[in-house]
Amino acid sequence: MTATKDVENTMPSYDPNNIFAKILRGELPAHKVHEDDKAFAFLDIMPRAPGHTLVIPKAPARTFLDIDPDDLAHLIKVTQMIARAAVKVFDADGLTIQQFNEAAGGQVVFHLHVHVMPRKNGVPLKPPASVKEDPTILSDQALRLAAALKGK
Ligand code: 5GP
């Protein structure tokens, strides 16, 4: 008989030294877009499109597999909130939402995150992690997104 695969003993465990955990603890800077008791959103430093935002749970989840379902539901609600604001702020024609799990699934930073990327007709995404954006541009974009989220 085949044993049922258990996420807890088939996947690597959470490493609290990952970059996003350090951002959550305030040990590394980030261009914050939103924060509440369970989620945090900030701009990707190597955006694939203007406004590329990462939405993460505060809970120490490595991937989609090990997060508590209630925290996941909250993460998705916040992702939709960010997505709606991003479409307005960046006057987007569309939106790409991506989420990767483990190296085999394309994940590079091992704290669960959802990518929100506003899209324009005919404009391709830049390759992942290709160009570091100017911090003054990221600051301005984060302020505009945060203001849109507050309905300003
Ligand atoms: P993944 O492939 O794990 O889904 O994507 C990780 C993302 O994190 C990439 O899009 C990359 O540009 C972004 N990233 C890597 N290091 C940092 C960092 O120090 N700060 C921010 N804000 N984003 C980062």
Side-chain angles (χ1 to χ4, degrees), residues 3 22 31 75 79 100 109 126 147:
K22 288 181 183 177
H31 296 280
L75 186 72
T79 301
F100 304 109
V109 178
K126 286 184 191 158

Side-chain angles (χ1 to χ4, degrees), residues 88-109:
K88 274 190 204 150
V89 169
F90 293 92
D91 194 23
D93 302 311
L95 194 67
T96 298
I97 304 222
Q98 283 184 321
Q99 194 277 312
F100 304 109
N101 300 282
E102 296 300 340
Q107 187 176 15
V108 173
V109 178

Side-chain angles (χ1 to χ4, degrees), residues 58-136:
K58 286 192 170 175
R62 182 177 164 96
T63 70
F64 195 84
L65 301 171
D66 62 338
I67 187 168
D68 175 273
D70 289 339
D71 288 343
L72 179 61
H74 182 75
L75 186 72
I76 297 302
K77 281 185 192 169
V78 172
T79 301
Q80 188 190 45
M81 218 172 74
I82 305 287
R84 285 176 170 166
V87 165
K88 274 190 204 150
V89 169
F90 293 92
D91 194 23
D93 302 311
L95 194 67
T96 298
I97 304 222
Q98 283 184 321
Q99 194 277 312
F100 304 109
N101 300 282
E102 296 300 340
Q107 187 176 15
V108 173
V109 178
F110 296 103
H111 180 110
L112 171 62
H113 52 279
V114 181
H115 297 260
V116 176
M117 293 173 274
R119 302 295 303 276
K120 288 279 202 187
N121 285 326
V123 180
L125 288 176
K126 286 184 191 158
S130 52
V131 186
K132 252 192 181 178
E133 185 55 279
D134 179 342
T136 59

Side-chain angles (χ1 to χ4, degrees), residues 7-72:
V7 168
E8 282 170 23
N9 62 30
T10 57
M11 290 289 171
S13 56
Y14 183 79
D15 173 6
N17 289 318
N18 72 76
I19 297 168
F20 296 168
K22 288 181 183 177
I23 287 174
L24 281 175
R25 291 194 295 268
E27 295 165 12
L28 288 176
H31 296 280
K32 180 165 94 173
V33 168
H34 168 83
E35 180 170 13
D36 61 41
D37 58 333
K38 288 186 158 194
F40 190 80
F42 56 105
L43 292 180
D44 197 300
I45 46 165
M46 292 171 275
R48 300 189 64 191
H52 182 168
T53 304
L54 301 170
V55 192
I56 68 175
K58 286 192 170 175
R62 182 177 164 96
T63 70
F64 195 84
L65 301 171
D66 62 338
I67 187 168
D68 175 273
D70 289 339
D71 288 343
L72 179 61

